[in-house]
């Protein structure tokens, strides 16, 4: 007998991976762990005839069970496979692992591992199906697409690869039902969840760490509530968080549930969660800490996040150090000619003491042209309120300032000295690269 198994608290990507593995190994029996994430039971109920997965109770009923091989999908961590621990040792090296999570010190050390570099584990297994010309029904394509969409945040999480998007396109061609996928992934809260969501919004703390908006949600619940990660993602969207840290406890259950979600590539949720022996990837990760209290976890988590050096690009790395400036007394006609010669659309305005006093743009000059005032000095039509940035500021800060103030460029100031300029085009070039 061969088994296909996955981690506890099985999620959409785990189930999609199990489905793919069953298509690759048709003699193997897919067996679910004891626990699964919110909404997964509804999917398995609707697609019961498609998945035909067994529960772990099925294994326990079998007497004199002899296993030829175990196929593990969407994990390689031993502590995530506790439900199947008695069976893992019985097959020796006849263990086949398909995973996309980064390695940890708690990984299985025997068997054969195929490590996928994709945002979703189901993506790698789907391409293996394509390589072997294995056909999929529209219902099977829907389940696989659900797994990819869930694990990549609908192709938005850091760590999402081009292959994930390509797989989604191919699955749509195979008849995947996008309406069903959206139905199961959209937030839908029961009364207990709505109450908890309101509490989340009321108690969240916004913390600025090197220009990144880190949001902390710390709540002790009366009773455990399902769907914490969905609630946390909705709260993150509402406040525009770059990273959201969820710390949850319950009066009826000891321990702390830690959930981290990141929407920026510089802050990797999985790496932070690994400090707590948790699992996940760049965009989302979680850990359960049965012997710690919420205050201890909060203190340790904030220390890790604040002391971790983010490898992000700084303003000084992309700014133009040689700045074309406009004297405040220069006429708008001459200003327009200078901007045209330099092929730029705006520039800082400096007074006689070489102090920054404003910004002038082509748009400002056009206003003056309509009023036939091109003879006026640049100081008469420049923007007096100038948003500046420090050279050590992270790129994300420049990006937010340009977007929120709807401006095309930021003078880079070190103390009172103009040391460079960063434009919208500079930021777009870095993001595209």
């Amino acid at each position: 007998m061969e088994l296909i198994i996955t981690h506890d608290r099985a999620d959409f990507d785990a189930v999609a991976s199990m489905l793919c593995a069953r298509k690759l190994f048709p003699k193997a029996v897919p067996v679910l762990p004891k626990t699964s994430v919110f909404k997964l039971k509804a999917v398995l109920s609707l697609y019961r005839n498609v998945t035909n997965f067994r529960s772990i109770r099925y294994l326990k009923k079998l007497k004199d069970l002899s296993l030829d091989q175990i196929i593990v999908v969407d994990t390689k961590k031993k502590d995530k496979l506790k439900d199947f621990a008695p069976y893992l040792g019985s097959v020796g090296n006849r263990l086949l692992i398909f995973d996309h999570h980064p390695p940890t010190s708690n990984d299985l050390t025997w068997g054969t591992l195929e490590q996928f570099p994709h945002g979703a584990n189901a993506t790698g297994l789907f391409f293996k199906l394509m390589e072997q010309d294995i056909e999929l029904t529209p219902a099977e394509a829907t389940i696989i697409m659900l797994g990819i969409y869930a694990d990549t945040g609908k192709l938005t999480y850091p760590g999402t690869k081009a292959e994930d998007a390509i797989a989604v396109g191919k699955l749509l061609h195979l008849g995947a039902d996008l309406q069903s996928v959206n139905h199961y992934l959209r937030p839908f809260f029961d009364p207990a969840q709505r109450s908890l969501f309101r509490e989340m919004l009321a108690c969240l703390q916004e913390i600025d760490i090197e220009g990144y908006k880190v949001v902390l949600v710390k709540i002790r619940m009366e009773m455990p509530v399902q769907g914490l990660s969905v609630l946390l993602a909705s709260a993150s969207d509402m406040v525009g968080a770059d990273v959201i840290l969820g710390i949850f406890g319950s009066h009826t259950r000891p321990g702390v549930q830690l959930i981290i979600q990141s929407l920026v590539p510089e802050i990797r949720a999985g790496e932070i969660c690994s400090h707590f022996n948790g699992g996940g990837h760049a965009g989302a990760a979680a850990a359960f800490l049965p012997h710690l209290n919420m205050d201890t976890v909060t203190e340790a988590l904030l220390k890790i996040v604040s002391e971790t050096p983010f490898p992000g690009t700084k303003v000084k790395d992309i700014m133009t150090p040689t700045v074309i400036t406009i004297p405040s007394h220069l006429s708008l006609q001459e200003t327009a000619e200078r901007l045209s010669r330099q092929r730029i659309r705006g520039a800082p305005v400096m007074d006689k003491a070489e102090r920054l006093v404003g910004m002038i743009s082509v748009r400002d000059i056009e206003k003056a042209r309509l009023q036939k005032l091109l003879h006026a000095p640049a100081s008469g039509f420049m923007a007096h309120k100038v948003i500046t940035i420090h050279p050590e500021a992270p790129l994300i800060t420049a990006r937010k300032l340009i977007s929120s103030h709807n401006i095309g460029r930021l003078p880079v100031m070190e103390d009172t000295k103009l040391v460079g300029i960063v434009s919208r085009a500079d930021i777009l070039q870095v993001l595209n690269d």
Side-chain angles (χ1 to χ4, degrees), residues 115-254:
Q115 181 76 33
F116 296 129
H118 313 307
N121 197 64
T123 299
L125 286 165
F126 169 71
F127 280 116
K128 293 184 76 68
L129 293 178
M130 295 295 98
E131 289 168 6
Q132 299 185 28
D133 294 323
I134 296 175
E135 293 185 359
L136 291 171
T137 67
E140 290 169 334
T142 300
I143 294 171
I144 297 170
M145 184 174 168
L146 182 59
I148 296 173
Y149 253 33
D151 233 40
T152 62
K154 297 185 178 179
L155 305 179
T156 63
Y157 286 164
T160 301
K161 306 298 182 184
E163 289 79 7
D164 296 302
I166 292 168
V168 166
K170 289 182 179 293
L171 289 163
L172 286 171
H173 276 296
L174 293 171
D177 181 5
L178 192 57
Q179 186 175 356
S180 292
V181 171
N182 285 327
H183 171 75
Y184 286 110
L185 292 183
R186 70 176 183 174
F188 177 77
F189 303 150
D190 62 25
Q193 291 168 328
R194 289 198 294 270
S195 175
L196 180 59
F197 185 64
R198 286 192 292 269
E199 191 175 348
M200 281 184 180
L201 295 178
C203 76
L204 60 81
Q205 296 175 250
E206 297 183 12
I207 308 164
D208 183 276
I209 299 179
E210 294 189 29
Y212 296 90
K213 188 175 184 178
V214 178
V215 173
L216 174 67
V217 173
K218 177 183 172 185
I219 294 179
R220 184 174 297 281
M221 304 172 287
E222 289 298 323
M223 296 184 66
V225 174
Q226 284 192 316
L228 291 178
S229 61
V230 179
L231 293 167
L232 206 61
S234 297
S236 176
D237 290 342
M238 290 194 72
V239 298
D242 296 316
V243 181
I244 192 161
L245 314 171
I247 300 171
F248 301 96
S250 169
H251 291 294
T252 59
R253 180 188 179 190

Side-chain angles (χ1 to χ4, degrees), residues 52-95:
N52 196 26
F53 293 170
R54 301 281 191 167
S55 73
I56 197 166
R57 291 190 300 272
Y58 162 80
L59 282 184
K60 293 178 178 179
K61 291 178 182 177
L62 297 178
K63 296 180 180 180
D64 302 322
L65 177 63
S66 177
L67 295 173
D68 294 326
Q69 180 176 241
I70 294 181
I71 298 129
V72 181
V73 297
D74 200 35
T75 189
K76 52 184 171 287
K77 293 185 69 173
K78 287 180 282 189
D79 64 351
K80 295 293 183 180
L81 295 163
K82 291 177 183 176
D83 291 353
F84 302 100
Y87 309 100
L88 288 171
S90 67
V91 294
N93 281 327
R94 299 188 308 278
L95 191 67

